[in-house]
């Protein structure tokens, strides 16, 4: 990871960096505050960890605060998360009350001071109640797929969201009927972060061997939290179908997030389903395993992300950046990353995933072509620098209102 | 020193705003297309030109791509993609052409139109754009061609695509300026470059080459 924007110039090009500096000049007088629910684990924390030093390097005063919550609160927000994804959850009035109580506690404890405050995901959404006291422009950033939400949970959340100045979604499909502007900002990965930077082949091989796999044989990999919506059991089913035609190993690796109490249960189910197959490798990676994850993806032959629901799917982005052929579930943000047949393959079932895996394992040229196109697609659309540009533009939009076009002159920096 | 005769290179950067309006059938697409903002029409017909080469292989605008992929109405997709964007000097004219093309197709359709699955719906978006000076200024024609070589894709896109159609300036900004500077020959040559059949890199290269020939 780099804290210096100039380090990105050789990767993304001078034009991109120069435009970021132009934009930063226009919003440097605004303080930016991010608020979310976890500082470790999960895509949001990763993005903020990378992005904040770079925003500061651009001269933007940027801070990041994390709300507090006990296990009961995170069990509730996990249930909300699943329900917003369209899953069946039994949501009780008590659960709403736990959410309200934790929101009240955080309203009392957490200091909000940004000129622009970006609140990430449902957990801290209730902090909007503070806006009437402290002012500022408040933006709710939704990282999850809410295309078919549970109406009761969305209704509860919407009461909060409607009070924000604007909202951000990762895909147009997730947008809702809201009176506030809904911006589309896909998330991003850091090409210089430990999870994505170039590493020597020898190191890749060493890590693959250290985790008990044979680097000489094909490896199918899914790197993902142990979460039912990521369908690890479906991946295992696909692997077993592939094995009828091709020798290969399966790697299922994931870390936990402090706001995901369901993970252990799913991990147990996955281990049970794997039985005693020596070619199935299930790894529970601790936080800060980024270099190992990087090496494991680079050491893979084909990467899968067979999600049943997905906010965006940064694991897909990470694999594409490493020029890996990716097979992904045709859901959420995976669809905007895998242009079917060009930058990867979209599938709807374990059988579909198996068919594509067999095709890829037998065709190295196809693997290379998809990998190269995928890398270019990520470079253009899903790197940290593009994400920073969008946030700077959002800050500008908060100042200039919701018109279609603002022409800023040289003499009027605001 | 900047004079009125200098060319000020601007750039355009934008956010995509989701309108919440969507379509699952051709009729719904037609109905909403008739009333969405001009910003939305422009975005959905032009954003592919800012994208990487591999996405431009089919040269389908968003409407054409959706009609092809979600509705499987390939003949209409081809017609929508074939609309000559260079023939219009306003978005209103472009919108009319899109609507006429869809209406003609609907009139000949002898079966019920396909309704796509909700997850394949067309989502109307619009752009929230900011135009800002890059700090690059050309004082004479020679200086202009030197600096064109270094401008960003976004800057080139603004002066060529947005200025002509979205801002209703009739032609691209470079040709207007060169005409004012007494070089109608160069203005006309640049105006003759069709930006819709070139990548932005190719367009910039061809402009620079025209300058080098003088």
């Amino acid at each position: 990871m780099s804290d210096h924007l100039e380090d990105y110039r050789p990767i993304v090009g001078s034009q991109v960096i120069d435009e970021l500096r132009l934009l930063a000049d226009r919003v440097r007088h605004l303080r930016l505050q991010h608020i979310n629910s976890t500082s470790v684990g999960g895509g949001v924390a990763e993005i903020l960890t990378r992005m904040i030093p770079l925003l500061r390097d651009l001269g933007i005063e940027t801070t990041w605060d994390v709300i507090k919550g006990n296990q009961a609160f995170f069990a509730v927000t996990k249930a909300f998360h699943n329900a917003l994804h369209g899953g069946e959850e039994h949501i009780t009035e008590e659960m709403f009350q736990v959410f309200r109580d934790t929101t009240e506690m955080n309203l009392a404890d957490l200091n909000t001071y940004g000129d622009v405050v970006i609140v990430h995901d449902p957990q801290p959404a209730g902090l909007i109640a503070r806006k009437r006291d402290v002012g500022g422009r408040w933006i709710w950033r939704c990282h999850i797929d809410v295309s078919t939400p549970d109406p009761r949970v969305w209704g509860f959340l919407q009461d909060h969201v409607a009070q924000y100045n604007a909202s951000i979604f990762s895909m147009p499909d997730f947008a809702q009927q809201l009176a506030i502007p809904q911006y589309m900002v896909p998330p991003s990965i850091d090409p210089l972060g430990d999870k994505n930077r170039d590493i020597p082949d020898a190191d890749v091989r060493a890590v693959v061997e250290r985790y008990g796999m044979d680097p000489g044989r094909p490896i199918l990999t899914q790197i993902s939290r142990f979460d039912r919506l990521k369908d690890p059991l479906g991946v295992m089913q696909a692997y077993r179908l592939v094995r009828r035609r091709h020798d290969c190993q399966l790697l299922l690796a994931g870390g936990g997030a402090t706001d995901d109490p369901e993970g252990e249960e799913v991990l147990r189910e996955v281990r049970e389903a794997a039985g005693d197959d020596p070619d199935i490798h299930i790894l529970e990676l601790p936080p800060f395993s980024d270099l190992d994850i990087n090496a494991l993806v680079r050491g893979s032959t084909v990467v899968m992300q067979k999600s049943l629901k997905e906010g965006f799917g940064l694991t897909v982005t990470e694999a594409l950046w490493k020029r890996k052929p990716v097979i992904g579930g045709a859901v959420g943000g995976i669809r905007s990353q895998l242009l079917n047949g060009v930058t990867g393959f979209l599938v709807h079932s374990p059988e579909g995933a198996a068919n594509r895996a067999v095709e890829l394992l037998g065709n190295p040229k196809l693997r290379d072509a998809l990998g190269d196109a995928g890398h270019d697609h990520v470079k253009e659309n899903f790197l940290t620098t593009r994400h920073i540009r969008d946030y700077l533009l959002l800050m500008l939009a908060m100042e200039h209102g919701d018109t279609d076009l603002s022409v800023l002159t040289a003499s009027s920096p605001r | 020193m900047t004079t009125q005769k200098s060319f000020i290179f601007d750039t355009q950067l934008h956010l995509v705003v989701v309108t919440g309006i969507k379509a699952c059938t051709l009729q719904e697409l037609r109905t909403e297309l008739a009333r969405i903002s001009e910003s939305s029409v422009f975005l959905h017909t032009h954003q592919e030109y800012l994208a990487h080469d591999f996405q431009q292989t089919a040269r389908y605008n968003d409407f054409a791509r959706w009609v092809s992929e979600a509705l499987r109405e390939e003949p209409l997709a081809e017609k929508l993609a074939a609309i000559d964007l260079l023939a219009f000097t306003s978005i209103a004219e472009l919108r009319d052409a899109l609507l006429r093309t869809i209406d003609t197709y609907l009139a000949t359709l002898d079966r019920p139109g396909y309704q796509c699955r909700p997850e394949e719906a067309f989502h109307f978006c619009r752009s929230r754009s900011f135009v800002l000076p890059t700090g690059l200024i050309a004082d004479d024609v020679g200086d202009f061609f030197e600096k064109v070589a270094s401008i960003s894709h976004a800057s080139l896109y603004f002066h060529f695509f947005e200025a002509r159609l979205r801002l209703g300036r009739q032609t691209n900004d470079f040709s207007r300026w060169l005409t004012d500077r007494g070089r109608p020959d160069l203005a006309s040559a640049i105006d003759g470059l069709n930006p819709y059949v070139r990548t932005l890199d190719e367009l910039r290269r061809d402009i620079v080459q025209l300058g080098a020939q003088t």
Side-chain angles (χ1 to χ4, degrees):
Chain A
M1 188 170 90
S2 171
D3 293 351
H4 303 291
L5 201 60
E6 284 306 315
D7 294 341
Y8 292 77
R9 200 178 281 273
I11 297 169
V12 297
S14 287
Q15 296 171 4
V16 170
I17 302 300
D18 293 345
E19 278 175 349
L20 287 181
R21 297 202 182 283
L22 270 181
L23 277 175
D25 287 344
R26 302 281 171 163
V27 294
R28 202 163 279 131
H29 57 285
L30 299 173
R31 288 168 304 172
L32 176 62
Q33 181 180 13
H34 288 277
I35 302 174
N36 83 324
S37 64
T38 176
S39 57
V40 180
V44 181
E46 280 182 30
I47 289 168
L48 291 177
T49 302
R50 292 188 305 270
M51 191 183 282
I52 285 170
L54 296 174
L55 282 161
R56 288 178 181 154
D57 190 47
L58 278 165
I60 311 292
E61 188 183 331
T62 312
T63 53
W64 173 13
D65 292 279
V66 178
I67 59 163
K68 291 187 182 126
N70 58 20
Q71 211 171 356
F73 172 72
F74 286 123
V76 166
T77 56
K78 179 67 185 175
F80 283 9
H81 178 98
N82 289 343
L84 289 167
H85 266 300
E88 289 208 6
E89 287 287 335
H90 180 59
I91 307 291
T92 63
E93 180 50 39
E94 288 72 32
M95 294 166 87
F96 288 122
Q97 196 53 47
V98 167
F99 187 95
R100 287 189 203 100
D101 291 345
T102 307
T103 298
E104 284 302 321
M105 182 189 78
N106 280 293
L107 279 167
D109 290 352
L110 198 137
N111 192 13
T112 50
Y113 41 79
D115 298 304
V116 175
V117 182
I118 301 182
V119 175
H120 297 261
D121 281 338
Q123 300 94 327
L127 292 180
I128 188 64
R130 174 67 59 74
K131 184 185 157 197
R132 61 175 173 263
D133 299 327
V134 298
R137 299 283 175 170
W138 289 59
I139 303 170
W140 184 61
R141 204 306 180 215
C142 178
H143 293 270
I144 59 182
D145 176 350
V146 287
S147 51
T148 52
D150 175 303
R152 199 157 153 248
V153 175
W154 173 250
F156 174 78
L157 191 60
Q158 194 176 12
D159 290 342
H160 300 298
V161 173
Q163 299 172 55
Y164 283 78
N165 294 93
S167 55
I168 309 174
F169 294 90
S170 297
M171 294 273 293
D173 316 44
F174 304 166
Q176 301 292 322
Q177 290 298 328
L178 290 170
I180 58 173
Q182 302 178 72
Y183 294 99
M184 189 188 77
V185 177
S188 62
I189 60 163
D190 181 0
L192 294 179
D194 279 349
K195 215 185 250 187
N196 296 299
R197 67 180 167 84
D198 284 342
I199 44 177
D201 290 346
D203 292 5
V204 170
R205 198 179 169 89
V207 171
V208 169
E209 284 174 346
R210 175 152 55 84
Y211 283 104
M213 285 168 288
D214 177 0
R217 292 167 56 213
I219 303 173
L220 301 184
T221 297
Q222 175 158 301
I223 307 275
S224 225
R225 276 191 308 186
F226 291 98
D227 181 326
R228 290 194 181 87
L229 295 175
K230 312 291 183 190
D231 199 19
L233 295 176
V235 174
M236 205 178 286
Q237 192 185 336
Y239 153 80
R240 290 193 164 119
L241 290 169
V242 173
R243 281 280 292 231
R244 294 179 188 170
R245 303 274 295 277
H246 263 284
D247 172 50
C248 63
Q249 307 162 83
L250 174 67
L251 167 63
L252 293 171
T258 54
D259 58 353
D260 180 16
E262 200 184 54
E264 283 179 29
E265 196 183 317
V266 177
L267 180 60
R268 197 168 47 245
E269 289 170 13
V270 170
R271 286 193 198 285
E272 215 173 277
D276 55 3
D277 185 336
D279 282 326
I280 297 181
H281 301 265
I282 298 164
L283 305 180
E284 194 183 9
L285 299 169
F288 311 110
S289 301
D290 289 359
L291 260 180
D292 281 3
I293 292 172
N294 185 343
L296 290 171
V297 173
R298 287 181 192 277
S300 302
T301 317
V302 173
V303 173
M304 289 202 189
Q305 186 58 57
K306 219 204 83 46
S307 303
L308 304 172
K309 281 276 182 177
E310 190 61 74
F312 188 73
L314 284 172
T315 51
V316 171
T317 328
E318 286 157 2
L320 292 177
W321 180 246
K322 299 174 185 69
R323 300 180 190 273
K324 290 293 159 186
V326 180
I327 299 168
V331 293
I334 296 177
R335 287 188 290 129
S336 65
Q337 300 188 67
L338 301 182
L339 309 176
N340 201 18
V342 180
T343 62
F345 285 126
L346 292 172
V347 296
H348 302 81
S349 63
E351 291 81 1
N355 284 344
R356 289 303 192 183
V358 168
E359 187 180 350
L360 285 166
L361 288 175
N363 190 340
K365 278 189 181 164
L366 178 62
R367 294 203 297 267
D368 289 346
L370 293 183
D372 288 347
H375 175 85
D376 289 345
H377 191 39
V378 171
K379 181 177 173 183
E380 193 158 316
N381 298 295
F382 306 122
L383 294 185
T384 315
T385 40
R386 195 242 65 237
H387 207 162
I388 290 172
R389 184 198 68 194
D390 286 353
Y391 276 180
L392 296 175
L393 284 168
L394 270 166
M395 294 170 79
L396 260 183
M398 290 302 103
E399 280 225 307
H400 290 267
D402 185 34
T403 58
D404 284 344
L405 181 70
S406 296
V407 178
L408 310 178
T409 62
S411 57
S412 60
R414 292 190 192 184
Chain B
M1 194 181 111
T2 308
T3 71
Q4 280 192 323
K5 290 184 175 177
S6 303
F7 186 92
I8 298 171
F9 287 94
D10 288 326
T11 191
Q12 176 276 147
L13 298 166
H14 70 268
L15 289 161
V16 174
V17 188
V18 188
T19 64
I21 300 167
K22 54 188 177 182
C24 283
T25 66
L26 191 51
Q27 187 57 56
E28 286 171 4
L29 182 79
R30 196 258 176 245
T31 304
E32 300 301 344
L33 178 57
R35 56 190 184 201
I36 54 165
S37 68
E38 292 200 340
S39 165
S40 184
V41 177
F42 186 82
L43 180 77
H44 289 301
T45 50
H46 281 77
Q47 65 177 345
E48 64 170 328
Y49 296 101
L50 259 177
H52 189 265
D53 293 355
F54 68 79
Q55 287 183 55
Q56 292 194 25
T57 47
R59 299 203 180 274
Y60 272 20
N61 58 56
D62 292 350
F63 301 123
R65 188 176 300 112
W66 181 74
V67 164
S68 166
E69 292 177 0
L71 299 185
R72 282 83 164 166
E73 301 282 5
E74 196 57 42
L76 176 61
E78 289 176 1
K79 290 177 200 297
L80 289 170
I83 289 176
D84 179 9
L85 299 175
L86 208 54
F88 308 106
T89 52
S90 77
I91 297 176
E93 290 171 31
L94 169 57
R95 187 206 305 261
D96 286 345
L98 290 164
L99 290 172
R100 271 198 311 276
T101 306
I102 295 173
D103 286 343
T104 305
Y105 190 79
L106 278 170
T108 59
L109 206 60
D110 55 0
R111 56 183 162 75
Y114 184 74
Q115 173 156 8
C116 74
R117 289 177 297 164
E119 60 267 32
E120 291 180 316
F122 186 89
H123 294 268
F124 286 93
C125 300
R126 63 182 171 86
S127 61
R128 171 68 180 97
S129 304
F130 294 89
V131 176
L132 59 166
T134 60
L136 272 183
I137 295 167
D139 293 322
D140 55 49
V141 172
D143 193 24
F144 168 82
F145 281 104
E146 216 166 274
K147 284 181 172 144
V148 162
S150 67
I151 62 171
S152 67
H153 283 173
S155 177
L156 183 60
Y157 179 82
F158 170 73
H159 287 299
F160 234 86
F161 292 84
E162 294 234 1
R164 192 183 74 79
L165 197 55
R166 194 172 175 199
L167 304 185
R169 292 176 183 168
Q170 311 291 318
T171 182
N172 68 79
D173 283 343
F174 301 158
S175 294
R176 284 174 72 219
W177 183 78
L178 286 163
T179 302
D180 290 346
R181 296 301 303 250
R183 292 303 304 266
D185 54 327
L186 285 171
S188 166
I190 289 177
D191 198 37
L193 298 173
N194 183 350
Y196 295 106
V197 296
R198 289 171 164 81
T199 66
L200 288 168
D201 282 330
E202 289 165 352
L203 179 62
R204 183 172 45 203
R205 179 202 64 201
D206 292 348
I207 294 171
V208 170
Q209 276 178 1
L210 284 172
Q213 287 164 12
T214 62

